[in-house]
């Protein structure tokens, strides 16, 4: 059975499901590698307009996999290998997925069902939009295990999404919070009944896909880059160059032609 399921729920809208329900979709290295391959392939497909990321069973993702004693022994570095280098290699293999989600050309919408803690929390933060089932639970919990909560992009994404002061409180306490609080924080855009969260995510996906593929790509990329801009001038320069590139693509003419005829524009593919 594959650790990652892929389904085109509707033309252009792909649902990617983490499929290790027996562990609440804990981040085994095998699942992480498969997820990276799946997302890379989707990112290269001009037919894909949005990706919805969710989890099988009762959880979105419970974070890093807790290994058995036998698995832990097998996963030791080679006798001639530096232990720190070995651990860093594993860490980088995981965070490559978070970076890929953030950098994909199409929006990634997290449909969070059940627990999303630790690495699962950070994975949801890397997505562009989040919707939550009422059963959803969120938390940066690394600190409760004696290590830093600045992990897997959490210290980058969370302050940008909820503000530095609230991010500090969540990261320093390591507390787990529910879907309603996540909505109050602005972390999720909606809370819906269990069993309907993917449908709710797809509703947003359809709205996104009404716009041009190039416009969506450039909006996602430019927004996240200007968040890090050192000044307004840098942000304006980035916006100006991106906008002129978009205008030169011909999509504006397609928009005017579609609106003139009373219909929808026929956007080009990426």
């Amino acid at each position: 059975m594959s650790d990652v399921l892929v389904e085109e729920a509707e033309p252009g809208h792909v649902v990617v499901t983490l499929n290790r329900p027996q562990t609440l979709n804990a981040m085994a290295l095998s699942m992480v590698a498969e997820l990276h391959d799946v997302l890379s392939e989707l990112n290269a497909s001009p037919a894909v307009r949005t990706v919805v990321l969710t989890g099988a069973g009762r959880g979105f993702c419970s974070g890093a996999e807790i290994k058995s004693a036998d698995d832990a022994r097998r996963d030791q570095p080679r006798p001639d290998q530096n232990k720190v280098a070995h651990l860093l290699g594993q860490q980088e293999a995981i965070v490559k997925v978070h970076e890929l989600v953030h950098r994909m050309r199409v929006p990634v919408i997290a449909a969070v069902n059940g627990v999303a803690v630790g690495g699962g929390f950070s994975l949801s933060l890397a997505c562009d939009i989040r919707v939550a089932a009422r059963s959803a639970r969120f938390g940066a919990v690394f600190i409760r295990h004696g290590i830093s909560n600045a992990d897997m992009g959490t210290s980058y994404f969370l302050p940008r999404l909820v503000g530095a002061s609230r991010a500090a409180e969540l990261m320093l306490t390591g507390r787990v919070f529910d879907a309603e609080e996540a909505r109050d924080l602005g972390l999720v855009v909606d809370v819906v009944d269990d069993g309907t969260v993917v449908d709710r995510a797809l509703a947003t996906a359809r709205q996104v896909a009404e716009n041009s593929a190039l416009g969506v790509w450039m909006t996602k990329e430019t927004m996240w880059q200007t968040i890090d801009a050192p000044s307004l001038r840098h942000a304006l320069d980035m916006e100006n160059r991106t906008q002129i590139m978009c205008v030169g693509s011909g999509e504006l003419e397609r928009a005017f032609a579609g609106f003139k005829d009373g219909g929808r524009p026929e956007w080009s593919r990426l």
Side-chain angles (χ1 to χ4, degrees), residues 101-184:
V101 167
H102 185 58
R103 290 284 296 155
M104 285 182 71
R105 299 187 299 179
V106 300
V108 181
I109 304 171
V112 181
N113 52 311
V115 65
V117 297
F121 181 49
S122 61
L123 183 60
S124 75
L125 298 180
C127 297
D128 301 288
I129 301 168
R130 285 153 296 281
V131 289
R134 299 194 190 284
S135 62
R137 297 293 182 270
F138 301 87
V141 298
F142 307 105
I143 200 168
R144 293 164 62 175
H145 301 286
I147 58 176
S148 170
N149 247 339
D151 193 36
M152 300 188 190
T154 300
S155 66
Y156 178 88
F157 292 118
L158 191 58
R160 285 164 171 78
L161 294 172
V162 303
S165 179
R166 184 49 61 92
E169 184 264 330
L170 294 173
M171 292 179 68
L172 292 171
T173 63
R175 68 180 180 86
V176 175
F177 54 99
D178 63 18
E180 297 294 337
E181 183 174 355
R183 180 170 57 188
D184 292 343

Side-chain angles (χ1 to χ4, degrees), residues 3-269:
D3 284 347
V4 180
L5 304 179
V6 183
E7 176 193 6
E8 188 175 35
E10 299 172 10
H13 303 303
V14 179
V15 177
V16 175
T17 304
L18 307 180
N19 188 39
R20 302 183 74 238
Q22 69 278 11
T23 65
L24 295 178
N25 304 307
M27 301 180 85
L29 289 177
S30 60
M31 185 179 79
V32 170
E34 187 174 353
L35 179 60
H36 189 277
D37 290 345
V38 164
L39 294 177
S40 296
E41 183 175 345
L42 294 176
N43 195 39
S45 172
V48 175
R49 295 299 315 275
T50 66
V51 171
V52 173
L53 182 62
T54 193
R58 298 182 298 107
F60 178 76
C61 177
S62 59
E65 182 180 43
I66 299 176
K67 299 176 182 177
S68 67
D70 288 342
D71 287 341
R73 280 192 292 270
R74 282 194 294 269
D75 197 32
Q76 293 300 306
R78 302 184 309 271
D80 62 341
Q81 185 180 18
N82 185 290
K83 180 180 179 181
V84 171
H86 173 72
L87 292 172
L88 182 59
Q90 293 184 330
Q91 180 82 0
E92 289 186 337
I94 295 173
V95 301
K96 279 171 60 179
V97 170
H98 296 67
E99 185 178 20
L100 175 57
V101 167
H102 185 58
R103 290 284 296 155
M104 285 182 71
R105 299 187 299 179
V106 300
V108 181
I109 304 171
V112 181
N113 52 311
V115 65
V117 297
F121 181 49
S122 61
L123 183 60
S124 75
L125 298 180
C127 297
D128 301 288
I129 301 168
R130 285 153 296 281
V131 289
R134 299 194 190 284
S135 62
R137 297 293 182 270
F138 301 87
V141 298
F142 307 105
I143 200 168
R144 293 164 62 175
H145 301 286
I147 58 176
S148 170
N149 247 339
D151 193 36
M152 300 188 190
T154 300
S155 66
Y156 178 88
F157 292 118
L158 191 58
R160 285 164 171 78
L161 294 172
V162 303
S165 179
R166 184 49 61 92
E169 184 264 330
L170 294 173
M171 292 179 68
L172 292 171
T173 63
R175 68 180 180 86
V176 175
F177 54 99
D178 63 18
E180 297 294 337
E181 183 174 355
R183 180 170 57 188
D184 292 343
L185 290 171
L187 193 62
V188 303
V189 298
D190 202 1
V191 178
V192 296
D193 291 337
D194 290 356
T196 66
V197 69
V198 170
D199 290 337
R200 174 60 184 84
L202 286 169
T204 294
R206 293 184 206 104
Q207 289 182 304
V208 169
E210 291 178 0
N211 304 307
S212 78
L214 178 66
V216 169
W217 177 18
M218 291 297 99
T219 298
K220 169 176 173 168
E221 183 172 281
T222 305
M223 186 196 78
W224 288 120
Q225 290 191 28
T226 54
I227 282 177
D228 293 335
S231 70
L232 173 61
R233 184 67 260 170
H234 283 78
L236 291 173
D237 286 347
M238 175 71 72
E239 287 183 344
N240 289 345
R241 285 157 177 74
T242 303
Q243 193 70 307
I244 295 306
M245 182 171 65
C246 288
V247 169
S249 72
E251 295 292 67
L252 191 60
E253 286 81 0
R254 294 183 183 92
F256 289 151
F259 298 148
K260 181 180 179 181
D261 296 337
R264 291 178 56 186
E266 292 293 329
W267 306 119
S268 59
R269 287 190 172 188

